[in-house]
Amino acid sequence: MNYFYKVFSQNASLKMLLFFVLLLNGGSVWAEHSNTEKIQTGISEYKTTGEGRQVTKRESTSTTDHSQLEELKGPFSSGPEVTKACLKCHNTAGHQFKKNKHWTWEYKDTETGQMLGKKHLVNTFCTNARGNEGMCAQCHAGYGWKDDSFDFDNEENIDCLACHESTGKYYKLPPSKGNKACAVMFEGKKPIDWVKSAQSAALPGRDNCGNCHFFGGGGDNVKHGDLSSALFNPDKETDVHMDAKGLNFACITCHVGEGHDWKGSRYKMDVAGKHDMPKPGMKREVTSCKSCHSDSPHSVTTVEGNKLNSHTKKVACETCHIPSFARGGVATKTDWDWRTMGRLKNGEGYNEEGYTQGNGEHRHTYKSIKGSFKYAENVKPSYRWFNGDIHYLTIDQKFDPKKTPVEVNHFKGSYDDPDSRIYPFKIMRTIQPYDKGNNTLVYMELWGDDDTSLWGNYDFGKAIKVGMEKYNIPYSGEYGFVHTVSYWPINHMVSPKDKALSCNECHAKEGRLKDLKGFYMPGRGDYKLLDLIGLLLILGTLAGVLLHALIRILTNKKRSA
């Protein structure tokens, strides 16, 4: 039917005939064509990420022009060949990088003994990278990680270009084949010019970091809420530090690195800033506000400034200076329901675009391979006491599915803890599969060109069975769905200081901090007597200052006389 419609539409006379046919048939032909046009197959989230985006570059201070190096004149036919050339000069870089989380995808929590990182954890987005490296490893800084046979000791497997390429035309390909639902992923990509990419080597820019970190979890700004494509070239209102026409910070300006080890971790955060202000001559290795602005960032010559400075002992800078996230026209995902996965049209998977974000781009609200989604922009954060310790629900830990939502991660903190601060978070809510017999989370085989991969066969039972068996994890054979929640600390999209929160946004009965309990805060709650006492103390102090000033004035006049 689509073929005949195309033929008719190219001829004016036939168009008129088609019009009368539509009238006689109640528009059924048009309806069929229109429905077909709405069907969008395949995973399109990663079809384009950051490549091709022009990021405002900072002036290079490098003492080496890589385009002049004989070792990089090629020819090269693959990434590992480029890496081999890089390591001839940077002969300790491979050894350093093999210890990096970007390479290992592992982090051991020394307090709990938990083995964390993408290589192990289950999350509230695509659920698990483990077993799906063929897709997920596009954001691994290496080449060819498709299964457990990957050689982490081979330094030539390291992808130097992912972090150091600066032409903006570099991209990653899946190291293994996906099935039909994923076939459109990289159609029409131009071949990589390996020589130009190698010769463009520079310090990592926002585009290098953003190509992965802005698109984690299944698309643009899906995961973090404060990391999106809006930060490739943001204005001052979107992020005062990364403002392309202002300070133009790169990610590594704050995430200081040495020996291929960049500071900043979602697994263990230094909220109190204990290591932010090193002694003279000591290495600065920090990522927080305090490391540049100190713990007294406001004016010390005014009453207001001093009062604000006293807040830093209990309130994180981000709480006041990031009044909302998912700014700059790019929405973030807030809800994900896996239960609706698998709906088909004419036997094929499809997508629906039901949300138009601020920059005019459409977002998928349904995908056959993933289920249903909700989005939000300019989101007010949720606030919690947080001391930097985050614990995770790992694949081997049991939970009570009757006590929902199940926290996939949770954190410590309280008013009485000197290391805790009131901190802003994004909350992600998901309804995802779990092992109904063992009450644990599950690994699923999502990616692959076989009849057990979820992104093609749409069968949870098969995908979970294979995903668990692959790593010898007990599976009861019965799955269900459970409401889960995860918390994401908000650190980016810092607003200009004149857009920081005003006092009454928190110091109010229905203010932003209304859900934080267990401590007194002026202006909040029903503590009217305490508020009155506090007001009287302030007025008394003010009266005392004025009286003292008046006495000084009168005394000086008498002395003059």
Side-chain angles (χ1 to χ4, degrees):
M1 184 60 69
N2 292 333
Y3 169 75
F4 288 109
Y5 175 86
K6 185 176 181 180
V7 173
F8 272 70
S9 63
Q10 291 174 348
N11 184 289
S13 300
L14 292 179
K15 282 182 181 179
M16 185 63 70
L17 178 60
L18 178 62
F19 175 74
F20 286 109
V21 171
L22 290 174
L23 289 177
L24 293 172
N25 287 276
S28 60
V29 176
W30 171 252
E32 181 178 343
H33 171 73
S34 186
N35 286 337
T36 303
E37 284 292 293
K38 291 181 180 178
I39 296 177
Q40 307 165 7
T41 59
I43 304 176
S44 58
E45 286 95 334
Y46 293 97
K47 195 168 185 179
T48 57
T49 52
E51 71 270 15
R53 298 179 187 265
Q54 295 299 312
V55 174
T56 303
K57 299 291 184 182
R58 297 172 64 87
E59 183 178 351
S60 174
T61 57
S62 174
T63 57
T64 302
D65 181 352
H66 287 78
S67 67
Q68 302 300 314
L69 299 179
E70 287 294 327
E71 290 83 354
L72 298 182
K73 291 185 177 180
F76 303 120
S77 60
S78 69
E81 290 181 14
V82 174
T83 298
K84 186 176 181 179
C86 296
L87 293 176
K88 286 182 180 179
C89 293
H90 302 278
N91 54 15
T92 63
H95 176 71
Q96 293 173 349
F97 195 76
K98 286 193 296 182
K99 301 175 183 178
N100 189 291
K101 292 189 292 291
H102 288 79
W103 176 253
T104 64
W105 276 14
E106 286 186 327
Y107 175 86
K108 186 172 183 178
D109 190 320
T110 54
E111 180 184 336
T112 66
Q114 290 181 309
M115 188 59 76
L116 309 176
K118 293 180 178 66
K119 198 174 180 181
H120 301 283
L121 288 177
V122 178
N123 59 49
T124 53
F125 299 92
C126 288
T127 67
N128 56 290
R130 195 171 195 179
N132 299 303
E133 291 85 1
M135 172 64 182
C136 300
Q138 288 176 87
C139 274
H140 178 250
Y143 296 112
W145 186 10
K146 58 183 179 180
D147 53 37
D148 281 349
S149 65
F150 183 74
D151 187 356
F152 283 92
D153 288 325
N154 184 355
E155 295 180 4
E156 290 180 20
N157 283 340
I158 295 172
D159 183 355
C160 302
L161 297 177
C163 297
H164 293 285
E165 204 269 1
S166 65
T167 69
K169 296 181 180 179
Y170 180 71
Y171 59 86
K172 303 274 287 184
L173 285 171
S176 64
K177 187 179 179 181
N179 52 36
K180 187 176 180 180
C182 312
V184 301
M185 180 80 74
F186 290 100
E187 291 178 354
K189 289 278 190 180
K190 292 182 179 180
I192 296 172
D193 188 327
W194 295 105
V195 172
K196 283 188 177 180
S197 291
Q199 292 179 346
S200 75
L203 287 173
R206 287 197 305 272
D207 48 347
N208 298 103
C209 303
N211 287 348
C212 283
H213 288 285
F214 295 170
F215 295 87
D220 193 355
N221 202 25
V222 162
K223 184 181 288 185
H224 297 277
D226 61 345
L227 290 174
S228 77
S229 62
L231 296 180
F232 279 128
N233 270 308
D235 56 19
K236 189 176 181 179
E237 298 298 309
T238 303
D239 191 289
V240 70
H241 296 114
M242 297 190 198
D243 175 17
K245 295 180 180 179
L247 294 173
N248 196 29
F249 278 14
C251 302
I252 60 172
T253 305
C254 292
H255 294 273
V256 179
E258 184 173 340
H260 284 91
D261 179 24
W262 293 275
K263 299 303 173 182
S265 172
R266 293 289 179 183
Y267 302 119
K268 186 73 68 173
M269 297 176 63
D270 182 16
V271 171
K274 288 183 175 181
H275 307 292
D276 284 357
M277 303 300 291
K279 295 178 180 179
M282 299 297 289
K283 182 176 65 174
R284 173 179 171 267
E285 50 175 33
V286 282
T287 56
S288 77
C289 308
K290 181 180 174 182
S291 62
C292 290
H293 297 283
S294 82
D295 54 4
S296 298
H298 308 95
S299 172
V300 296
T301 61
T302 65
V303 174
E304 180 186 19
N306 278 290
K307 188 58 183 174
L308 289 174
N309 284 335
S310 71
H311 279 60
T312 62
K313 295 179 180 179
K314 290 295 181 181
V315 183
C317 300
E318 291 89 339
T319 295
C320 294
H321 291 276
I322 309 178
S324 63
F325 59 89
R327 301 203 307 273
V330 181
T332 188
K333 193 169 288 185
T334 58
D335 296 81
W336 186 328
D337 189 348
W338 278 91
R339 295 174 299 179
T340 60
M341 186 279 309
R343 296 172 184 167
L344 306 177
K345 287 187 177 180
N346 302 325
E348 297 286 344
Y350 69 99
N351 310 324
E352 295 175 1
E353 293 180 337
Y355 183 92
T356 303
Q357 60 188 19
N359 64 5
E361 294 182 9
H362 304 294
R363 301 299 292 267
H364 294 126
T365 51
Y366 179 78
K367 293 181 72 69
S368 295
I369 61 171
K370 295 182 177 181
S372 306
F373 320 112
K374 291 181 182 179
Y375 297 86
E377 295 177 69
N378 303 307
V379 184
K380 287 184 180 180
S382 296
Y383 301 95
R384 303 286 190 276
W385 287 105
F386 181 43
N387 66 8
D389 287 337
I390 306 178
H391 295 177
Y392 291 81
L393 181 65
T394 53
I395 190 73
D396 58 329
Q397 291 180 314
K398 295 182 181 294
F399 57 84
D400 185 351
K402 294 179 181 178
K403 296 180 180 179
T404 57
V406 173
E407 293 184 329
V408 171
N409 69 344
H410 68 278
F411 46 87
K412 292 183 177 181
S414 68
Y415 172 78
D416 298 325
D417 181 357
D419 291 336
S420 290
R421 302 290 185 272
I422 296 173
Y423 216 88
F425 289 87
K426 170 191 170 179
I427 297 180
M428 178 67 191
R429 296 176 176 85
T430 304
I431 302 174
Q432 64 190 85
Y434 79 107
D435 185 336
K436 199 172 182 180
N438 291 322
N439 291 338
T440 63
L441 297 175
V442 295
Y443 287 151
M444 294 189 288
E445 184 179 72
L446 305 172
W447 174 268
D449 188 19
D450 51 54
D451 64 355
T452 58
S453 299
L454 189 68
W455 291 349
N457 72 60
Y458 309 106
D459 188 326
F460 277 118
K462 286 184 178 180
I464 295 172
K465 183 175 184 295
V466 171
M468 300 291 270
E469 286 179 350
K470 188 178 289 186
Y471 295 97
N472 298 315
I473 298 172
Y475 175 51
S476 68
E478 184 181 9
Y479 71 88
F481 293 92
V482 65
H483 291 252
T484 60
V485 64
S486 61
Y487 303 92
W488 295 84
I490 297 297
N491 303 99
H492 309 90
M493 295 190 171
V494 177
S495 293
K497 62 181 180 180
D498 61 333
K499 297 296 178 65
L501 294 184
S502 59
C503 301
N504 61 6
E505 289 189 68
C506 293
H507 292 275
K509 186 173 183 179
E510 293 299 317
R512 291 185 178 229
L513 305 184
K514 63 180 180 180
D515 294 328
L516 291 181
K517 309 298 181 184
F519 68 102
Y520 168 72
M521 188 174 75
R524 188 191 69 161
D526 297 318
Y527 300 100
K528 294 182 180 180
L529 179 60
L530 281 176
D531 286 346
L532 179 60
I533 293 173
L535 179 61
L536 291 174
L537 287 173
I538 293 173
L539 292 175
T541 302
L542 181 60
V545 171
L546 292 174
L547 180 61
H548 177 74
L550 180 61
I551 293 173
R552 292 288 298 273
I553 292 171
L554 293 174
T555 303
N556 287 334
K557 283 185 176 181
K558 287 183 178 180
R559 289 176 179 173
S560 299

